[in-house]
Amino acid sequence: MRLSARVDYALRAVAELALAASDAASEPTSRSPRPGNPLTAERIARAQEIPPKFLESILLQLRRGGIVHAQRGPEGGYWLARPAVEISLADVIRVIDGPLANVRGQRPEDLGYAGAAVALQEVWIALRASEREILELVTLADIAGGKLPDRVQELASDPRAWV
Protein backbone atom coordinates (compact mmCIF):
# COMPACT_ATOMS: atom_id res chain seq x y z
CA MET A 1 0.00 0.00 0.00
CA ARG A 2 1.31 3.41 -0.91
CA LEU A 3 -0.08 6.52 0.76
CA SER A 4 0.51 9.96 -0.69
CA ALA A 5 1.98 12.81 1.32
CA ARG A 6 -1.42 14.45 0.96
CA VAL A 7 -3.13 11.53 2.76
CA ASP A 8 -0.41 11.41 5.43
CA TYR A 9 -0.80 15.14 6.11
CA ALA A 10 -4.60 14.89 6.11
CA LEU A 11 -4.56 12.08 8.67
CA ARG A 12 -2.12 13.98 10.87
CA ALA A 13 -4.23 17.15 10.64
CA VAL A 14 -7.48 15.43 11.59
CA ALA A 15 -5.69 13.64 14.44
CA GLU A 16 -4.87 17.11 15.83
CA LEU A 17 -8.51 18.11 15.48
CA ALA A 18 -9.63 14.90 17.20
CA LEU A 19 -7.26 15.58 20.10
CA ALA A 20 -8.54 19.16 20.38
CA ALA A 21 -12.13 17.87 20.44
CA SER A 22 -11.35 15.35 23.18
CA ASP A 23 -9.49 17.98 25.23
CA ALA A 24 -12.41 20.40 24.93
CA ALA A 25 -14.91 17.69 25.88
CA SER A 26 -13.02 17.08 29.10
CA GLU A 27 -13.19 20.78 30.10
CA PRO A 28 -16.26 21.27 32.32
CA THR A 29 -16.32 25.01 31.60
CA SER A 30 -16.37 24.65 27.84
CA ARG A 31 -19.38 26.51 26.41
CA SER A 32 -18.44 26.12 22.78
CA PRO A 33 -21.36 25.17 20.51
CA ARG A 34 -18.85 23.18 18.49
CA PRO A 35 -17.29 19.87 19.49
CA GLY A 36 -13.89 21.19 20.54
CA ASN A 37 -12.27 24.53 20.03
CA PRO A 38 -11.47 25.40 16.44
CA LEU A 39 -7.82 25.09 15.50
CA THR A 40 -6.25 27.39 12.96
CA ALA A 41 -4.50 25.90 9.98
CA GLU A 42 -1.33 27.59 11.21
CA ARG A 43 -1.52 25.83 14.57
CA ILE A 44 -2.15 22.43 12.93
CA ALA A 45 0.70 23.00 10.46
CA ARG A 46 3.08 23.91 13.27
CA ALA A 47 2.05 20.97 15.47
CA GLN A 48 2.51 18.43 12.68
CA GLU A 49 5.26 20.15 10.67
CA ILE A 50 3.11 20.33 7.55
CA PRO A 51 3.76 22.99 4.89
CA PRO A 52 1.03 25.60 5.60
CA LYS A 53 -0.06 26.25 2.00
CA PHE A 54 -0.29 22.52 1.31
CA LEU A 55 -2.33 22.06 4.49
CA GLU A 56 -4.78 24.80 3.48
CA SER A 57 -5.65 22.93 0.28
CA ILE A 58 -5.98 19.65 2.20
CA LEU A 59 -8.30 21.25 4.77
CA LEU A 60 -10.43 22.66 1.95
CA GLN A 61 -10.73 19.18 0.46
CA LEU A 62 -11.63 17.73 3.89
CA ARG A 63 -14.27 20.44 4.34
CA ARG A 64 -15.79 19.70 0.94
CA GLY A 65 -15.75 16.00 1.82
CA GLY A 66 -17.66 16.54 5.06
CA ILE A 67 -14.84 15.58 7.42
CA VAL A 68 -14.23 19.05 8.90
CA HIS A 69 -16.11 22.30 9.36
CA ALA A 70 -14.50 25.70 9.11
CA GLN A 71 -15.21 29.21 10.25
CA ARG A 72 -13.41 32.38 9.21
CA GLY A 73 -12.57 35.26 11.47
CA PRO A 74 -10.74 35.91 14.72
CA GLU A 75 -12.45 33.02 16.50
CA GLY A 76 -12.34 30.83 13.42
CA GLY A 77 -10.55 27.69 12.56
CA TYR A 78 -11.30 24.05 11.83
CA TRP A 79 -13.04 21.31 13.79
CA LEU A 80 -14.34 17.83 13.03
CA ALA A 81 -17.74 17.65 11.36
CA ARG A 82 -18.66 14.52 13.37
CA PRO A 83 -17.40 12.96 16.57
CA ALA A 84 -13.92 11.46 16.15
CA VAL A 85 -15.26 8.01 17.02
CA GLU A 86 -17.46 8.17 13.90
CA ILE A 87 -14.68 9.05 11.44
CA SER A 88 -12.48 6.20 10.25
CA LEU A 89 -9.11 6.48 8.58
CA ALA A 90 -10.77 5.05 5.47
CA ASP A 91 -13.23 7.98 5.43
CA VAL A 92 -10.37 10.48 5.34
CA ILE A 93 -8.35 8.55 2.75
CA ARG A 94 -11.37 8.27 0.43
CA VAL A 95 -11.97 12.03 0.59
CA ILE A 96 -8.35 12.81 -0.24
CA ASP A 97 -7.38 10.06 -2.70
CA GLY A 98 -10.60 8.29 -3.71
CA PRO A 99 -11.13 4.51 -3.52
CA LEU A 100 -8.85 2.55 -1.22
CA ALA A 101 -7.46 0.21 -3.84
CA ASN A 102 -7.27 0.53 -7.57
CA VAL A 103 -5.10 -0.86 -10.32
CA ARG A 104 -4.15 1.52 -13.09
CA GLY A 105 -6.97 3.80 -11.92
CA GLN A 106 -9.65 1.09 -12.08
CA ARG A 107 -11.53 -0.74 -9.37
CA PRO A 108 -10.32 -4.35 -9.05
CA GLU A 109 -13.74 -5.81 -9.90
CA ASP A 110 -13.71 -3.93 -13.23
CA LEU A 111 -10.43 -5.45 -14.42
CA GLY A 112 -10.24 -8.21 -16.97
CA TYR A 113 -7.29 -10.57 -16.89
CA ALA A 114 -6.66 -13.49 -19.21
CA GLY A 115 -4.71 -16.69 -19.12
CA ALA A 116 -2.20 -17.20 -16.33
CA ALA A 117 -3.05 -13.81 -14.77
CA VAL A 118 -6.79 -14.44 -14.14
CA ALA A 119 -6.23 -15.02 -10.40
CA LEU A 120 -4.71 -11.53 -9.98
CA GLN A 121 -8.17 -9.98 -9.85
CA GLU A 122 -9.02 -11.99 -6.72
CA VAL A 123 -5.68 -10.99 -5.16
CA TRP A 124 -6.45 -7.27 -5.69
CA ILE A 125 -9.95 -7.70 -4.27
CA ALA A 126 -8.59 -9.54 -1.21
CA LEU A 127 -5.96 -6.84 -0.76
CA ARG A 128 -8.64 -4.15 -0.81
CA ALA A 129 -10.73 -6.11 1.71
CA SER A 130 -7.72 -6.40 4.01
CA GLU A 131 -6.96 -2.68 3.77
CA ARG A 132 -10.60 -1.88 4.36
CA GLU A 133 -10.71 -4.13 7.45
CA ILE A 134 -8.01 -2.09 9.17
CA LEU A 135 -8.72 1.39 7.82
CA GLU A 136 -12.44 1.22 8.59
CA LEU A 137 -11.78 -0.24 12.04
CA VAL A 138 -9.46 2.55 13.22
CA THR A 139 -11.12 5.86 14.06
CA LEU A 140 -9.72 9.31 14.70
CA ALA A 141 -10.61 8.83 18.37
CA ASP A 142 -8.36 5.74 18.43
CA ILE A 143 -5.47 7.72 16.93
CA ALA A 144 -5.91 10.79 19.14
CA GLY A 145 -6.32 8.60 22.23
CA GLY A 146 -3.26 6.50 21.42
CA LYS A 147 -5.21 3.25 21.91
CA LEU A 148 -5.61 1.20 18.78
CA PRO A 149 -8.11 -1.66 18.38
CA ASP A 150 -6.84 -5.06 19.49
CA ARG A 151 -6.73 -6.41 15.93
CA VAL A 152 -4.43 -3.58 14.83
CA GLN A 153 -2.18 -3.99 17.86
CA GLU A 154 -2.00 -7.73 17.19
CA LEU A 155 -0.93 -7.21 13.59
CA ALA A 156 1.56 -4.46 14.48
CA SER A 157 3.14 -6.56 17.25
CA ASP A 158 4.30 -9.18 14.73
CA PRO A 159 8.01 -8.46 14.05
CA ARG A 160 7.48 -9.43 10.39
CA ALA A 161 5.13 -6.45 10.01
CA TRP A 162 8.04 -4.06 10.60
CA VAL A 163 10.23 -5.27 7.73
Side-chain angles (χ1 to χ4, degrees):
M1 174 176 199
R2 186 173 293 206
L3 294 174
S4 66
R6 191 171 194 80
V7 165
D8 180 52
Y9 290 161
L11 291 169
R12 289 163 51 192
V14 293
E16 286 293 325
L17 295 173
L19 182 61
S22 70
D23 287 349
S26 66
E27 294 175 15
T29 59
S30 177
R31 294 187 189 186
S32 174
R34 297 173 283 230
N37 299 320
L39 295 182
T40 64
E42 180 183 315
R43 183 170 167 190
I44 297 167
R46 218 177 24 251
Q48 288 297 318
E49 299 179 353
I50 299 171
K53 288 291 184 194
F54 196 23
L55 179 60
E56 286 283 355
S57 71
I58 291 168
L59 289 168
L60 177 62
Q61 198 172 355
L62 290 169
R63 187 177 60 77
R64 288 181 179 153
I67 301 293
V68 303
H69 286 307
Q71 177 178 318
R72 294 180 186 248
E75 293 184 27
Y78 295 88
W79 65 96
L80 295 176
R82 302 187 309 270
V85 72
E86 294 178 14
I87 303 172
S88 72
L89 300 186
D91 294 332
V92 176
I93 293 169
R94 286 183 185 113
V95 165
I96 299 297
D97 271 358
L100 292 180
N102 63 55
V103 179
R104 298 184 327 262
Q106 294 182 13
R107 298 170 58 92
E109 61 272 20
D110 295 336
L111 297 172
Y113 289 106
V118 167
L120 278 176
Q121 183 177 36
E122 285 186 56
V123 171
W124 304 148
I125 290 171
L127 177 64
R128 179 180 59 193
S130 178
E131 285 179 2
R132 199 180 272 166
E133 175 188 3
I134 299 302
L135 296 174
E136 289 179 351
L137 179 64
V138 180
T139 68
L140 298 183
D142 297 327
I143 298 297
K147 175 83 172 85
L148 297 174
D150 291 341
R151 176 70 177 133
V152 175
Q153 289 181 355
E154 175 188 323
L155 288 168
S157 69
D158 182 346
R160 294 172 298 173
W162 293 85
V163 291

